[in-house]
Amino acid sequence: MRPEHKPKIIAFCCNWCGYAAADLAGIQRIQYPDSLRIIRVMCSGMVHPEMVLHALNKGADGVMIIGCQLGECHYIDGNEKAMARAELIDELLEDFGFENDRFLITRLSSSESEQFARTVGTMHKRVLELGPNPNSNQDNGDTP
């Protein structure tokens, strides 16, 4: 009998908003799925499509990019660059055989801790419905 699938979701979080919203959720003790692994980046615009593909190729079940609201980027237009790259990522996912639902980009302000938790919960449900990433190796504990 195969053990229940425990998804792994990688979230590239902007230092100023996405990460701050996650931190605030922790301070407020807002629950969200423990499938999330946060990678703090200075700006969502720094997340290159290769980073998303690398995480999926290493077995992550889903990848998120969480950046600032439009017009609130500390690096002027980094979040706009991230949104433009998201279109490329969607195309690449299909080319590499991954479902588009394994990727999500969103924008939050630093005070949106409840929205952060809801977004993570939504992504968790999506990857559960998709099932394990074909590249994952649940048996040996490899973590992307």
Side-chain angles (χ1 to χ4, degrees):
M1 187 166 153
R2 186 174 180 169
E4 183 181 329
H5 173 62
K6 295 181 181 179
K8 296 177 211 158
I9 300 169
I10 303 297
F12 294 99
C13 292
C14 152
N15 179 64
W16 306 102
C17 290
Y19 189 83
D23 191 39
L24 184 59
I27 291 168
Q28 294 175 331
R29 298 180 189 261
I30 297 172
Q31 298 290 312
Y32 58 86
D34 65 354
S35 56
L36 190 70
R37 304 296 183 268
I38 295 175
I39 297 175
R40 185 184 201 172
V41 293
M42 291 310 291
C43 178
S44 60
M46 296 177 68
V47 181
H48 194 275
E50 287 179 6
M51 296 167 73
V52 173
L53 289 172
H54 180 76
L56 290 168
N57 282 325
K58 287 293 188 178
D61 296 301
V63 178
M64 303 172 69
I65 298 175
I66 304 173
C68 299
Q69 296 285 3
L70 293 178
E72 295 182 17
C73 179
H74 283 68
Y75 300 97
I76 303 169
D77 63 351
N79 52 5
E80 293 173 19
K81 289 177 184 171
M83 295 301 291
R85 285 182 173 168
E87 293 175 20
L88 175 61
I89 291 169
D90 280 336
E91 291 176 23
L92 289 172
L93 291 177
E94 191 173 311
D95 290 345
F96 283 86
F98 294 108
E99 300 94 337
N100 284 345
D101 282 347
R102 293 196 185 274
F103 172 69
L104 174 72
I105 185 166
T106 191
R107 298 177 304 266
L108 297 172
S109 73
S110 59
S111 64
E112 292 182 292
S113 54
E114 291 180 7
Q115 181 61 32
F116 173 85
R118 281 192 299 274
T119 302
V120 172
T122 299
M123 186 65 174
H124 180 84
K125 288 177 188 170
R126 277 170 57 173
V127 297
L128 278 177
E129 289 172 8
L130 289 169
N133 176 344
N135 290 335
S136 70
N137 191 346
Q138 291 289 87
D139 296 331
N140 71 10
D142 283 350
T143 303

